[in-house]
Amino acid sequence: MSTILIIDDDDQLRKSFHKLLTEEGYSVESAASGESGLDVIGKKILDMVILDVRLPGMNGLETFRAIHEIEPKLPVIIMTAYGTTETAIEATKMGAFDYILKPFDIPDMLIVIKQALEAGRFMRSPVDMDVTPDKTTSHEAIIGRSSPMQDVYKAIGRVASTDATVLIRGDSGTGKELVARAVYQHSLRANNPFLVINCVAIPDTLLESELFGYEKGAFTGAAHRRVGKIEQAHGGTIFLDEIGDMPFSLQSKMLRLIQEKSIERLGGRENISVDVRIIAATNRNLEDAITNGRFREDLYYRLKVVTIWLPPLCRRAGDIPLLTEYFLSRYSAEGGMDNPGITDKAKKLLAEYSWPGNVRELSNVIQKALIFNRGAPLSPNDITQVISENRPREGTDENNLDQILHQIIQRELITNLRKNMFESCMDHFACILISESLKFTGGNRSRAAKLLGLSRPTLHSKIEKYRLKLETSVKEDRS
Ligand SMILES: Nc1ncnc2c1ncn2[C@@H]1O[C@H](COP(=O)(O)OP(=O)(O)OP(=O)(O)O)[C@@H](O)[C@H]1O
Ligand SMILES: [Mg+2]
């Protein structure tokens, strides 16, 4: 559970915050002055601070400076009312995560809080590389000893301490975010801000102002100057996640940032120099995006100078046992239970499955299987059940025949590795088809045979063949 400290002298406001944030599942501490807030920071482990600008005694900016000195990676959101925005902007330039204007819109504020906590997590929870699984339960770790993963560790080691732009590529769930954090944490900028921008999560129209900021009057509603994330990350690192989805119109501004190390705020003429290191990640095929005119070639060449490729999990299947062990010990510790272990057959199944959702899928499967299977070692059955429930649903129509077929086939592929798969899939399908036809005709075999385009004896023999499975749905033939 994340703990948030509110520093504000307004009792009523502290109470409302307390109620709201507790309801949202956060643990809340509060302080009525900068001095007592700093006291709390010295004593408790916090994940974030919400700080009012106008405070009695030590003012907001002074308090921010002091917090930043004690805990440079603790995200701070500044609350400001009309008339004190300049101070808030000042604090943001000095490294405050963001500022919110009073009176605030609660859903917007909750979003900023979530983002700030996420940024804190990025900076503060260390990522180890390839440690023995039993030692890692408290830390996050990049697990894997396969030769492609060795190459990844070497690449991280080589680039981390340079200021080079790094592009991390690989399919969804391969660990790009973990690698980005490892690069940051091993870099010379590890004590400076790390800001994450997810280019997909922010609507196109907002992304530009979020990244580059704006001047007062730049557009309707721009009542104050706003410092963008890039400027906020000055001296630090910015992680552009899903860069393959960055709107084309913004890509030239990004290119300029990389080449000239400067930006312009929206509606501004001033050239602002910024010193940021860029780490970008994508699961998109950028080469295709260039061909289709969705990604700038010049930006691509700038980004790809140092590329770290994360191979899909099926290409490093040798790491599956180690990852399994790691997730087993991590999730059982998190759930406060003993590690139940896993049967050899289940291990074999995990090793042979193709893992289209990569490490994320393996992690989810182990986590869910542990919930279903309190105590006993994980069996193949636990695993296949979770895998088939987990499979992403293709298309939007739940009753889509193709989708159901895909699921049946996937389950067969998982469970019947050594059996005659073609026949068993066809049997499965025929069985459902006949069962449904009989239900539809109320058990009338002649009508069902006609509907299916089969002779009655053929239908009869198939019913015999699948008898066990049809017991419940086949009634006596009343024809
Ligand atoms: N080598 C690894 N060792 C341990 N955990 C891993 C490893 N790779 C990935 N994970 C875990 O798998 C999950 C997915 O990883 P991550 O978020 O880094 O994927 P991603 O490549 O950024 O995916 P996407 O493209 O969908 O954003 C995370 O919970 C991460 O901790
Ligand atoms: Mg990611």
Side-chain angles (χ1 to χ4, degrees):
M1 190 198 281
S2 304
T3 307
I4 301 175
L5 167 67
I6 319 284
I7 309 180
D8 196 306
D9 57 329
D10 179 341
D11 293 346
Q12 200 47 50
L13 195 125
R14 284 202 314 275
K15 272 190 201 139
S16 331
F17 256 115
H18 197 284
K19 184 162 178 288
L20 172 75
L21 295 180
T22 315
E23 277 167 12
E24 289 294 316
Y26 299 116
S27 152
V28 183
E29 296 284 331
S30 54
S33 68
E35 289 84 347
S36 55
L38 288 171
D39 224 34
V40 179
I41 291 168
K43 286 184 190 140
K44 303 238 165 166
I45 295 174
L46 300 168
D47 297 290
M48 194 187 112
V49 179
I50 300 178
L51 171 69
D52 191 23
V53 163
R54 211 186 303 234
L55 288 171
M58 200 174 182
N59 70 31
L61 202 56
E62 287 163 353
T63 310
F64 172 71
R65 277 203 197 100
I67 296 175
H68 207 51
E69 229 157 73
I70 309 171
E71 285 260 14
K73 292 182 184 178
L74 185 62
V76 178
I77 294 177
I78 310 276
M79 280 187 290
T80 180
Y82 189 77
T84 52
T85 25
E86 277 309 310
T87 320
I89 292 171
E90 201 51 40
T92 323
K93 282 168 85 175
M94 282 160 43
F97 180 76
D98 210 339
Y99 65 87
I100 46 179
L101 282 170
K102 285 184 191 175
F104 20 74
D105 180 63
I106 292 178
D108 282 356
M109 190 186 57
L110 290 175
I111 293 173
V112 178
I113 291 177
K114 250 192 166 164
Q115 288 173 343
L117 287 168
E118 180 70 4
R121 181 180 71 82
F122 260 85
M123 284 187 270
R124 299 199 299 175
S125 58
V127 178
D128 294 332
M129 280 183 266
D130 191 39
V131 274
T132 43
D134 49 321
K135 278 199 228 145
T136 56
T137 39
S138 62
H139 275 186
E140 275 184 276
I142 310 180
I143 301 290
R145 300 202 176 135
S146 56
S147 112
M149 285 314 287
Q150 302 285 356
D151 291 342
V152 169
Y153 303 142
K154 278 186 218 152
I156 296 174
R158 268 198 304 269
V159 299
S161 58
T162 70
D163 254 349
T165 300
V166 181
L167 177 64
I168 305 164
R169 297 185 66 175
D171 294 344
S172 181
T174 47
K176 297 184 293 295
E177 185 199 302
L178 277 185
V179 169
R181 287 164 58 189
V183 170
Y184 159 72
Q185 287 169 356
H186 289 86
S187 76
L188 300 173
R189 296 171 181 244
N191 283 320
N192 297 347
F194 183 88
L195 287 181
V196 187
I197 296 284
N198 187 318
C199 302
V200 180
I202 303 172
D204 286 7
T205 44
L206 279 185
L207 189 59
E208 184 169 11
S209 58
E210 184 82 6
L211 281 170
F212 296 91
Y214 51 81
E215 292 295 343
K216 183 176 173 178
F219 48 83
T220 334
H224 308 276
R225 174 153 60 92
R226 187 163 189 95
V227 173
K229 291 282 175 227
I230 295 172
E231 238 179 295
Q232 266 173 276
H234 185 64
T237 308
I238 193 155
F239 177 40
L240 296 169
D241 204 1
E242 321 280 4
I243 194 160
D245 295 270
M246 176 175 271
F248 196 79
S249 58
L250 271 193
Q251 294 173 17
S252 53
K253 284 193 137 184
M254 254 3 268
L255 181 69
R256 180 167 157 210
L257 170 66
I258 298 174
Q259 280 177 335
E260 295 167 29
K261 302 205 172 300
S262 73
I263 58 156
E264 253 173 37
R265 297 189 193 117
L266 256 95
R269 298 232 175 85
E270 190 192 350
N271 245 337
I272 300 162
S273 308
V274 272
D275 166 29
V276 287
R277 186 206 197 156
I278 291 169
I279 302 177
T282 185
N283 55 29
R284 295 249 180 236
N285 183 324
L286 292 180
E287 294 75 10
D288 279 356
I290 293 170
T291 315
N292 299 331
R294 283 184 288 106
F295 204 83
R296 288 184 69 113
E297 195 170 6
D298 43 11
L299 178 59
Y300 167 76
Y301 281 111
R302 275 283 162 175
L303 288 171
K304 76 168 221 160
V305 177
V306 179
T307 302
I308 301 181
W309 276 98
L310 282 166
L313 184 55
C314 61
R315 296 248 193 90
R316 41 178 157 132
D319 287 338
I320 294 173
L322 212 57
L323 281 159
T324 304
E325 223 179 297
Y326 168 70
F327 291 128
L328 268 174
S329 74
R330 180 168 151 197
Y331 292 128
S332 42
E334 277 177 23
M337 50 177 132
D338 289 336
N339 181 345
I342 179 165
T343 66
D344 287 344
K345 278 193 179 148
K347 273 189 200 162
K348 189 157 191 292
L349 193 120
L350 292 178
E352 284 169 345
Y353 177 51
S354 62
W355 300 108
N358 296 298
V359 188
R360 179 181 291 119
E361 186 181 8
L362 175 59
S363 160
N364 288 343
V365 164
I366 304 287
Q367 190 175 21
K368 275 202 186 158
L370 276 173
I371 297 167
F372 288 140
N373 195 56
R374 277 188 165 259
L378 299 191
S379 68
N381 203 19
D382 300 325
I383 309 267
T384 50
Q385 202 172 328
V386 180
I387 290 180
S388 55
E389 275 168 20
N390 257 10
R391 296 298 322 126
R393 303 197 189 290
E394 278 158 27
T396 47
D397 184 359
E398 282 281 312
N399 299 319
N400 185 312
L401 176 64
D402 276 0
Q403 182 191 315
I404 296 164
L405 285 175
H406 276 289
Q407 281 174 8
I408 296 170
I409 293 164
Q410 280 161 0
R411 198 165 61 220
E412 292 302 323
L413 288 167
I414 296 161
T415 51
N416 287 346
L417 284 163
R418 274 170 311 287
K419 290 187 202 151
N420 182 346
M421 199 165 333
F422 186 81
E423 205 150 287
S424 78
C425 280
M426 291 306 159
D427 280 352
H428 200 132
F429 185 61
C431 181
I432 295 170
L433 184 60
I434 293 168
S435 158
E436 285 303 318
S437 310
L438 285 163
K439 263 194 233 163
F440 183 74
T441 61
N444 184 323
R445 294 187 186 189
S446 300
R447 267 185 68 208
K450 211 168 174 191
L451 275 172
L452 292 169
L454 295 174
S455 69
R456 210 170 170 279
T458 310
L459 177 65
H460 186 76
S461 72
K462 292 199 185 295
I463 290 172
E464 287 300 307
K465 183 175 173 191
Y466 306 127
R467 178 157 288 283
L468 274 177
K469 292 172 194 165
L470 288 172
E471 267 169 358
T472 50
S473 58
V474 179
K475 292 186 203 151
E476 270 312 296
D477 192 350
R478 283 169 279 144
S479 58

